PDB file of all heavy atoms in Angstrom:
ATOM      1  N   PHE A 184       5.683 -68.104 -55.266  1.00  0.00           N
ATOM      2  CA  PHE A 184       5.362 -67.380 -54.041  1.00  0.00           C
ATOM      3  C   PHE A 184       6.410 -67.731 -52.998  1.00  0.00           C
ATOM      4  O   PHE A 184       6.744 -68.907 -52.826  1.00  0.00           O
ATOM      5  CB  PHE A 184       3.989 -67.801 -53.512  1.00  0.00           C
ATOM      6  CG  PHE A 184       2.851 -67.446 -54.423  1.00  0.00           C
ATOM      7  CD1 PHE A 184       2.254 -68.402 -55.237  1.00  0.00           C
ATOM      8  CD2 PHE A 184       2.370 -66.145 -54.466  1.00  0.00           C
ATOM      9  CE1 PHE A 184       1.201 -68.069 -56.082  1.00  0.00           C
ATOM     10  CE2 PHE A 184       1.307 -65.802 -55.305  1.00  0.00           C
ATOM     11  CZ  PHE A 184       0.723 -66.767 -56.114  1.00  0.00           C
ATOM     12  N   VAL A 185       6.919 -66.703 -52.313  1.00  0.00           N
ATOM     13  CA  VAL A 185       7.890 -66.963 -51.248  1.00  0.00           C
ATOM     14  C   VAL A 185       7.340 -66.421 -49.929  1.00  0.00           C
ATOM     15  O   VAL A 185       6.946 -65.255 -49.852  1.00  0.00           O
ATOM     16  CB  VAL A 185       9.245 -66.281 -51.530  1.00  0.00           C
ATOM     17  CG1 VAL A 185      10.258 -66.682 -50.463  1.00  0.00           C
ATOM     18  CG2 VAL A 185       9.758 -66.647 -52.913  1.00  0.00           C
ATOM     19  N   ILE A 186       7.321 -67.278 -48.930  1.00  0.00           N
ATOM     20  CA  ILE A 186       6.841 -66.865 -47.613  1.00  0.00           C
ATOM     21  C   ILE A 186       8.004 -66.863 -46.634  1.00  0.00           C
ATOM     22  O   ILE A 186       8.772 -67.828 -46.562  1.00  0.00           O
ATOM     23  CB  ILE A 186       5.730 -67.822 -47.130  1.00  0.00           C
ATOM     24  CG1 ILE A 186       4.546 -67.700 -48.092  1.00  0.00           C
ATOM     25  CG2 ILE A 186       5.333 -67.511 -45.690  1.00  0.00           C
ATOM     26  CD1 ILE A 186       3.276 -68.327 -47.625  1.00  0.00           C
ATOM     27  N   SER A 187       8.145 -65.760 -45.910  1.00  0.00           N
ATOM     28  CA  SER A 187       9.167 -65.660 -44.868  1.00  0.00           C
ATOM     29  C   SER A 187       8.536 -65.109 -43.598  1.00  0.00           C
ATOM     30  O   SER A 187       7.447 -64.539 -43.634  1.00  0.00           O
ATOM     31  CB  SER A 187      10.298 -64.698 -45.260  1.00  0.00           C
ATOM     32  OG  SER A 187      10.924 -65.110 -46.438  1.00  0.00           O
ATOM     33  N   GLY A 188       9.284 -65.233 -42.516  1.00  0.00           N
ATOM     34  CA  GLY A 188       8.827 -64.664 -41.246  1.00  0.00           C
ATOM     35  C   GLY A 188       9.740 -65.160 -40.153  1.00  0.00           C
ATOM     36  O   GLY A 188      10.405 -66.182 -40.325  1.00  0.00           O
ATOM     37  N   PRO A 189       9.789 -64.455 -39.029  1.00  0.00           N
ATOM     38  CA  PRO A 189      10.712 -64.866 -37.967  1.00  0.00           C
ATOM     39  C   PRO A 189      10.376 -66.253 -37.422  1.00  0.00           C
ATOM     40  O   PRO A 189       9.223 -66.683 -37.503  1.00  0.00           O
ATOM     41  CB  PRO A 189      10.522 -63.795 -36.888  1.00  0.00           C
ATOM     42  CG  PRO A 189       9.220 -63.157 -37.186  1.00  0.00           C
ATOM     43  CD  PRO A 189       9.006 -63.281 -38.666  1.00  0.00           C
ATOM     44  N   SER A 190      11.380 -66.901 -36.897  1.00  0.00           N
ATOM     45  CA  SER A 190      11.196 -68.238 -36.328  1.00  0.00           C
ATOM     46  C   SER A 190      10.171 -68.172 -35.199  1.00  0.00           C
ATOM     47  O   SER A 190      10.233 -67.298 -34.334  1.00  0.00           O
ATOM     48  CB  SER A 190      12.548 -68.713 -35.793  1.00  0.00           C
ATOM     49  OG  SER A 190      12.409 -69.954 -35.180  1.00  0.00           O
ATOM     50  N   GLY A 191       9.205 -69.074 -35.239  1.00  0.00           N
ATOM     51  CA  GLY A 191       8.206 -69.136 -34.168  1.00  0.00           C
ATOM     52  C   GLY A 191       6.942 -68.361 -34.459  1.00  0.00           C
ATOM     53  O   GLY A 191       6.004 -68.377 -33.670  1.00  0.00           O
ATOM     54  N   VAL A 192       6.871 -67.708 -35.621  1.00  0.00           N
ATOM     55  CA  VAL A 192       5.695 -66.889 -35.923  1.00  0.00           C
ATOM     56  C   VAL A 192       4.494 -67.761 -36.340  1.00  0.00           C
ATOM     57  O   VAL A 192       3.355 -67.299 -36.356  1.00  0.00           O
ATOM     58  CB  VAL A 192       6.012 -65.808 -36.997  1.00  0.00           C
ATOM     59  CG1 VAL A 192       6.103 -66.409 -38.386  1.00  0.00           C
ATOM     60  CG2 VAL A 192       4.989 -64.684 -36.967  1.00  0.00           C
ATOM     61  N   GLY A 193       4.776 -69.020 -36.657  1.00  0.00           N
ATOM     62  CA  GLY A 193       3.682 -69.933 -37.021  1.00  0.00           C
ATOM     63  C   GLY A 193       3.475 -70.086 -38.526  1.00  0.00           C
ATOM     64  O   GLY A 193       2.389 -70.400 -38.975  1.00  0.00           O
ATOM     65  N   LYS A 194       4.566 -69.891 -39.285  1.00  0.00           N
ATOM     66  CA  LYS A 194       4.491 -69.978 -40.761  1.00  0.00           C
ATOM     67  C   LYS A 194       3.988 -71.340 -41.236  1.00  0.00           C
ATOM     68  O   LYS A 194       3.117 -71.427 -42.086  1.00  0.00           O
ATOM     69  CB  LYS A 194       5.886 -69.795 -41.388  1.00  0.00           C
ATOM     70  CG  LYS A 194       6.456 -68.425 -41.299  1.00  0.00           C
ATOM     71  CD  LYS A 194       7.859 -68.413 -41.901  1.00  0.00           C
ATOM     72  CE  LYS A 194       8.840 -69.268 -41.168  1.00  0.00           C
ATOM     73  NZ  LYS A 194       9.814 -68.785 -40.319  1.00  0.00           N
ATOM     74  N   THR A 195       4.581 -72.387 -40.662  1.00  0.00           N
ATOM     75  CA  THR A 195       4.297 -73.728 -41.177  1.00  0.00           C
ATOM     76  C   THR A 195       2.826 -74.090 -40.977  1.00  0.00           C
ATOM     77  O   THR A 195       2.175 -74.581 -41.903  1.00  0.00           O
ATOM     78  CB  THR A 195       5.224 -74.757 -40.492  1.00  0.00           C
ATOM     79  OG1 THR A 195       6.559 -74.254 -40.601  1.00  0.00           O
ATOM     80  CG2 THR A 195       5.150 -76.105 -41.170  1.00  0.00           C
ATOM     81  N   THR A 196       2.289 -73.817 -39.806  1.00  0.00           N
ATOM     82  CA  THR A 196       0.872 -74.100 -39.538  1.00  0.00           C
ATOM     83  C   THR A 196      -0.007 -73.313 -40.493  1.00  0.00           C
ATOM     84  O   THR A 196      -0.965 -73.838 -41.060  1.00  0.00           O
ATOM     85  CB  THR A 196       0.526 -73.687 -38.081  1.00  0.00           C
ATOM     86  OG1 THR A 196       1.505 -74.233 -37.216  1.00  0.00           O
ATOM     87  CG2 THR A 196      -0.850 -74.166 -37.672  1.00  0.00           C
ATOM     88  N   LEU A 197       0.316 -72.063 -40.649  1.00  0.00           N
ATOM     89  CA  LEU A 197      -0.450 -71.181 -41.528  1.00  0.00           C
ATOM     90  C   LEU A 197      -0.427 -71.685 -42.981  1.00  0.00           C
ATOM     91  O   LEU A 197      -1.465 -71.741 -43.650  1.00  0.00           O
ATOM     92  CB  LEU A 197       0.163 -69.775 -41.447  1.00  0.00           C
ATOM     93  CG  LEU A 197      -0.539 -68.649 -42.167  1.00  0.00           C
ATOM     94  CD1 LEU A 197      -1.972 -68.521 -41.689  1.00  0.00           C
ATOM     95  CD2 LEU A 197       0.210 -67.338 -41.923  1.00  0.00           C
ATOM     96  N   ILE A 198       0.743 -72.085 -43.433  1.00  0.00           N
ATOM     97  CA  ILE A 198       0.877 -72.563 -44.814  1.00  0.00           C
ATOM     98  C   ILE A 198       0.099 -73.873 -44.993  1.00  0.00           C
ATOM     99  O   ILE A 198      -0.666 -74.031 -45.931  1.00  0.00           O
ATOM    100  CB  ILE A 198       2.365 -72.755 -45.186  1.00  0.00           C
ATOM    101  CG1 ILE A 198       3.059 -71.397 -45.267  1.00  0.00           C
ATOM    102  CG2 ILE A 198       2.513 -73.505 -46.509  1.00  0.00           C
ATOM    103  CD1 ILE A 198       4.560 -71.455 -45.365  1.00  0.00           C
ATOM    104  N   ARG A 199       0.256 -74.794 -44.037  1.00  0.00           N
ATOM    105  CA  ARG A 199      -0.469 -76.074 -44.131  1.00  0.00           C
ATOM    106  C   ARG A 199      -1.966 -75.840 -44.246  1.00  0.00           C
ATOM    107  O   ARG A 199      -2.641 -76.427 -45.077  1.00  0.00           O
ATOM    108  CB  ARG A 199      -0.206 -76.915 -42.880  1.00  0.00           C
ATOM    109  CG  ARG A 199       1.149 -77.527 -42.893  1.00  0.00           C
ATOM    110  CD  ARG A 199       1.093 -79.028 -42.590  1.00  0.00           C
ATOM    111  NE  ARG A 199       2.454 -79.542 -42.664  1.00  0.00           N
ATOM    112  CZ  ARG A 199       3.166 -79.845 -41.599  1.00  0.00           C
ATOM    113  NH1 ARG A 199       2.637 -79.762 -40.398  1.00  0.00           N
ATOM    114  NH2 ARG A 199       4.395 -80.275 -41.735  1.00  0.00           N
ATOM    115  N   LYS A 200      -2.467 -74.984 -43.356  1.00  0.00           N
ATOM    116  CA  LYS A 200      -3.904 -74.697 -43.316  1.00  0.00           C
ATOM    117  C   LYS A 200      -4.375 -74.129 -44.657  1.00  0.00           C
ATOM    118  O   LYS A 200      -5.404 -74.521 -45.181  1.00  0.00           O
ATOM    119  CB  LYS A 200      -4.159 -73.675 -42.196  1.00  0.00           C
ATOM    120  CG  LYS A 200      -5.569 -73.672 -41.703  1.00  0.00           C
ATOM    121  CD  LYS A 200      -5.673 -72.975 -40.380  1.00  0.00           C
ATOM    122  CE  LYS A 200      -6.452 -73.683 -39.317  1.00  0.00           C
ATOM    123  NZ  LYS A 200      -7.065 -74.936 -39.568  1.00  0.00           N
ATOM    124  N   THR A 201      -3.600 -73.208 -45.191  1.00  0.00           N
ATOM    125  CA  THR A 201      -3.993 -72.543 -46.434  1.00  0.00           C
ATOM    126  C   THR A 201      -3.935 -73.501 -47.613  1.00  0.00           C
ATOM    127  O   THR A 201      -4.837 -73.510 -48.449  1.00  0.00           O
ATOM    128  CB  THR A 201      -3.062 -71.341 -46.699  1.00  0.00           C
ATOM    129  OG1 THR A 201      -3.022 -70.537 -45.512  1.00  0.00           O
ATOM    130  CG2 THR A 201      -3.563 -70.498 -47.844  1.00  0.00           C
ATOM    131  N   LEU A 202      -2.904 -74.320 -47.655  1.00  0.00           N
ATOM    132  CA  LEU A 202      -2.736 -75.198 -48.817  1.00  0.00           C
ATOM    133  C   LEU A 202      -3.755 -76.337 -48.855  1.00  0.00           C
ATOM    134  O   LEU A 202      -4.016 -76.905 -49.911  1.00  0.00           O
ATOM    135  CB  LEU A 202      -1.313 -75.737 -48.897  1.00  0.00           C
ATOM    136  CG  LEU A 202      -0.232 -74.692 -49.194  1.00  0.00           C
ATOM    137  CD1 LEU A 202       1.077 -75.357 -49.583  1.00  0.00           C
ATOM    138  CD2 LEU A 202      -0.651 -73.702 -50.273  1.00  0.00           C
ATOM    139  N   GLU A 203      -4.360 -76.631 -47.691  1.00  0.00           N
ATOM    140  CA  GLU A 203      -5.448 -77.631 -47.677  1.00  0.00           C
ATOM    141  C   GLU A 203      -6.542 -77.258 -48.680  1.00  0.00           C
ATOM    142  O   GLU A 203      -7.186 -78.124 -49.252  1.00  0.00           O
ATOM    143  CB  GLU A 203      -6.109 -77.664 -46.288  1.00  0.00           C
ATOM    144  CG  GLU A 203      -5.411 -78.538 -45.281  1.00  0.00           C
ATOM    145  CD  GLU A 203      -5.992 -78.351 -43.879  1.00  0.00           C
ATOM    146  OE1 GLU A 203      -7.096 -77.800 -43.746  1.00  0.00           O
ATOM    147  OE2 GLU A 203      -5.306 -78.768 -42.925  1.00  0.00           O
ATOM    148  N   ASN A 204      -6.759 -75.956 -48.842  1.00  0.00           N
ATOM    149  CA  ASN A 204      -7.844 -75.482 -49.720  1.00  0.00           C
ATOM    150  C   ASN A 204      -7.373 -75.155 -51.138  1.00  0.00           C
ATOM    151  O   ASN A 204      -8.160 -74.705 -51.948  1.00  0.00           O
ATOM    152  CB  ASN A 204      -8.468 -74.196 -49.168  1.00  0.00           C
ATOM    153  CG  ASN A 204      -8.912 -74.361 -47.741  1.00  0.00           C
ATOM    154  OD1 ASN A 204      -9.397 -75.425 -47.370  1.00  0.00           O
ATOM    155  ND2 ASN A 204      -8.723 -73.329 -46.931  1.00  0.00           N
ATOM    156  N   LEU A 205      -6.094 -75.296 -51.397  1.00  0.00           N
ATOM    157  CA  LEU A 205      -5.562 -74.832 -52.682  1.00  0.00           C
ATOM    158  C   LEU A 205      -4.786 -75.927 -53.397  1.00  0.00           C
ATOM    159  O   LEU A 205      -3.628 -76.182 -53.085  1.00  0.00           O
ATOM    160  CB  LEU A 205      -4.618 -73.642 -52.453  1.00  0.00           C
ATOM    161  CG  LEU A 205      -5.263 -72.291 -52.194  1.00  0.00           C
ATOM    162  CD1 LEU A 205      -4.190 -71.262 -51.884  1.00  0.00           C
ATOM    163  CD2 LEU A 205      -6.072 -71.849 -53.398  1.00  0.00           C
ATOM    164  N   ASP A 206      -5.422 -76.511 -54.364  1.00  0.00           N
ATOM    165  CA  ASP A 206      -4.790 -77.618 -55.066  1.00  0.00           C
ATOM    166  C   ASP A 206      -3.820 -77.144 -56.142  1.00  0.00           C
ATOM    167  O   ASP A 206      -3.039 -77.919 -56.674  1.00  0.00           O
ATOM    168  CB  ASP A 206      -5.903 -78.486 -55.690  1.00  0.00           C
ATOM    169  CG  ASP A 206      -5.409 -79.879 -55.961  1.00  0.00           C
ATOM    170  OD1 ASP A 206      -4.590 -80.368 -55.143  1.00  0.00           O
ATOM    171  OD2 ASP A 206      -5.793 -80.467 -56.985  1.00  0.00           O
ATOM    172  N   SER A 207      -3.862 -75.839 -56.428  1.00  0.00           N
ATOM    173  CA  SER A 207      -3.080 -75.332 -57.554  1.00  0.00           C
ATOM    174  C   SER A 207      -1.657 -74.945 -57.147  1.00  0.00           C
ATOM    175  O   SER A 207      -0.909 -74.390 -57.928  1.00  0.00           O
ATOM    176  CB  SER A 207      -3.777 -74.103 -58.125  1.00  0.00           C
ATOM    177  OG  SER A 207      -3.842 -73.105 -57.119  1.00  0.00           O
ATOM    178  N   ILE A 208      -1.302 -75.237 -55.868  1.00  0.00           N
ATOM    179  CA  ILE A 208       0.010 -74.801 -55.401  1.00  0.00           C
ATOM    180  C   ILE A 208       0.848 -75.973 -54.917  1.00  0.00           C
ATOM    181  O   ILE A 208       0.388 -76.819 -54.144  1.00  0.00           O
ATOM    182  CB  ILE A 208      -0.151 -73.752 -54.289  1.00  0.00           C
ATOM    183  CG1 ILE A 208      -0.843 -72.539 -54.906  1.00  0.00           C
ATOM    184  CG2 ILE A 208       1.178 -73.393 -53.654  1.00  0.00           C
ATOM    185  CD1 ILE A 208      -0.865 -71.317 -54.103  1.00  0.00           C
ATOM    186  N   TYR A 209       2.087 -76.001 -55.389  1.00  0.00           N
ATOM    187  CA  TYR A 209       3.032 -77.044 -54.979  1.00  0.00           C
ATOM    188  C   TYR A 209       3.973 -76.481 -53.915  1.00  0.00           C
ATOM    189  O   TYR A 209       4.628 -75.455 -54.148  1.00  0.00           O
ATOM    190  CB  TYR A 209       3.838 -77.532 -56.187  1.00  0.00           C
ATOM    191  CG  TYR A 209       4.874 -78.557 -55.803  1.00  0.00           C
ATOM    192  CD1 TYR A 209       4.493 -79.855 -55.489  1.00  0.00           C
ATOM    193  CD2 TYR A 209       6.218 -78.216 -55.713  1.00  0.00           C
ATOM    194  CE1 TYR A 209       5.428 -80.794 -55.095  1.00  0.00           C
ATOM    195  CE2 TYR A 209       7.164 -79.149 -55.319  1.00  0.00           C
ATOM    196  CZ  TYR A 209       6.756 -80.438 -55.016  1.00  0.00           C
ATOM    197  OH  TYR A 209       7.691 -81.369 -54.615  1.00  0.00           O
ATOM    198  N   TYR A 210       4.030 -77.129 -52.763  1.00  0.00           N
ATOM    199  CA  TYR A 210       4.928 -76.692 -51.690  1.00  0.00           C
ATOM    200  C   TYR A 210       6.329 -77.235 -51.958  1.00  0.00           C
ATOM    201  O   TYR A 210       6.541 -78.448 -52.002  1.00  0.00           O
ATOM    202  CB  TYR A 210       4.405 -77.197 -50.335  1.00  0.00           C
ATOM    203  CG  TYR A 210       5.271 -76.790 -49.177  1.00  0.00           C
ATOM    204  CD1 TYR A 210       5.197 -75.510 -48.633  1.00  0.00           C
ATOM    205  CD2 TYR A 210       6.200 -77.676 -48.631  1.00  0.00           C
ATOM    206  CE1 TYR A 210       6.013 -75.128 -47.576  1.00  0.00           C
ATOM    207  CE2 TYR A 210       7.023 -77.309 -47.578  1.00  0.00           C
ATOM    208  CZ  TYR A 210       6.914 -76.028 -47.057  1.00  0.00           C
ATOM    209  OH  TYR A 210       7.726 -75.643 -46.021  1.00  0.00           O
ATOM    210  N   SER A 211       7.267 -76.336 -52.156  1.00  0.00           N
ATOM    211  CA  SER A 211       8.638 -76.733 -52.469  1.00  0.00           C
ATOM    212  C   SER A 211       9.354 -77.234 -51.216  1.00  0.00           C
ATOM    213  O   SER A 211       9.399 -76.540 -50.196  1.00  0.00           O
ATOM    214  CB  SER A 211       9.377 -75.526 -53.062  1.00  0.00           C
ATOM    215  OG  SER A 211      10.771 -75.718 -52.969  1.00  0.00           O
TER     216      SER A 211
END
Side-chain angles (χ1 to χ4, degrees):
F184 295 102
V185 185
I186 296 193
S187 301
S190 177
V192 76
K194 290 177 296 256
T195 310
T196 311
L197 186 57
I198 291 169
R199 285 230 178 105
K200 202 163 227 359
T201 309
L202 293 194
E203 276 171 16
N204 306 323
L205 282 176
D206 202 35
S207 61
I208 297 192
Y209 177 74
Y210 180 79
S211 161

